[in-house]
Amino acid sequence: ATIWALWSQATHREHWYAALALLQHRAYAGWREPALLPLLRRLIETGAWWDVVDEIATHVVRGLLLDHRAELAPVLRAWSRDADPWIRRSAMLAQVGAKDRTDPALLAELLTPNIGHPDFFSRKAIGWALRDYARTAPDWVRAYVAAHPDLSGLSRREALKHL
């Protein structure tokens, strides 16, 4: 309730950043459960820009996924096909930073439905998610890119940037 109150009454973008900082603070760790997903979805939909969406996806959603994979994976599969491009982006970025805890099968399931999407932020998210995982599993990323010749140039360049 505190986070939504701060978010929804924001008069400046910095209030959103404060709400996100509060959400990630250790004092709120006990609240970071799958039941938080409706609030996260509202924050993503109302934030609807890369700075806040990426923060939510790569920190809060990732943490939930790593701690509650069985509950989160089906939600992220649905999110990866959502009509809202920011919800889709959140699903694609949810494992960024997970390193060896990344589930490559889930990653592929979240990225593949978005390959043909013309939105810049979707194409960039695909590339970023692959580039991040390439630090842990470069051969897997190379194989994924090779198996998907329909990846956009942007997604392909981002994915292979450091390989």
Side-chain angles (χ1 to χ4, degrees), residues 2 7 13 16 18 26-27 30-31 40-41 51 65 68 71 82 91-92 94 97 105 110 112 126-127 145-146 154 157:
T2 302
W7 187 275
R13 198 161 195 82
W16 284 359
R26 68 178 183 271
W31 294 95
L40 296 179
R41 184 179 177 102
D51 58 343
L65 176 62
H68 307 280
E71 296 93 342
D82 199 271
M92 290 186 277
L110 302 176
T112 303
I126 292 168
V145 170
L154 173 61
R157 277 190 308 278

Side-chain angles (χ1 to χ4, degrees), residues 9-100:
Q9 296 173 30
T11 56
H12 294 83
R13 198 161 195 82
E14 288 74 13
H15 294 135
W16 284 359
Y17 299 153
L20 293 178
L22 198 58
L23 179 61
Q24 295 175 67
H25 193 276
R26 68 178 183 271
Y28 281 77
W31 294 95
R32 289 192 294 271
E33 298 287 330
L36 189 62
L37 283 169
L39 172 64
L40 296 179
R41 184 179 177 102
R42 257 193 308 176
L43 298 179
I44 292 164
E45 289 171 337
T46 56
W49 198 243
W50 69 268
D51 58 343
V52 294
V53 169
D54 292 3
E55 182 73 14
I56 294 166
T58 62
H59 292 89
V60 184
V61 176
R62 180 188 70 214
L64 285 175
L65 176 62
L66 295 178
D67 292 343
H68 307 280
R69 191 173 304 270
E71 296 93 342
L72 266 285
V75 173
L76 292 179
R77 285 183 190 101
W79 280 18
S80 74
R81 292 170 168 81
D82 199 271
D84 185 318
W86 298 106
I87 296 295
R88 284 195 318 274
R89 181 176 171 92
S90 298
M92 290 186 277
L93 296 180
Q95 294 189 84
V96 166
K99 300 179 182 169
D100 62 343

Side-chain angles (χ1 to χ4, degrees), residues 97-148:
K99 300 179 182 169
D100 62 343
R101 294 181 68 192
T102 298
D103 177 342
L106 179 61
L107 182 61
E109 286 183 70
L110 302 176
L111 298 181
T112 303
N114 292 285
I115 287 176
H117 200 280
D119 177 61
F120 167 83
F121 290 104
S122 294
R123 292 177 296 157
K124 185 76 170 180
I126 292 168
W128 181 19
L130 290 170
R131 183 181 72 229
D132 180 74
Y133 192 47
R135 293 181 178 107
T136 302
D139 292 338
W140 186 93
V141 171
R142 282 187 195 98
Y144 182 88
V145 170
H148 295 89

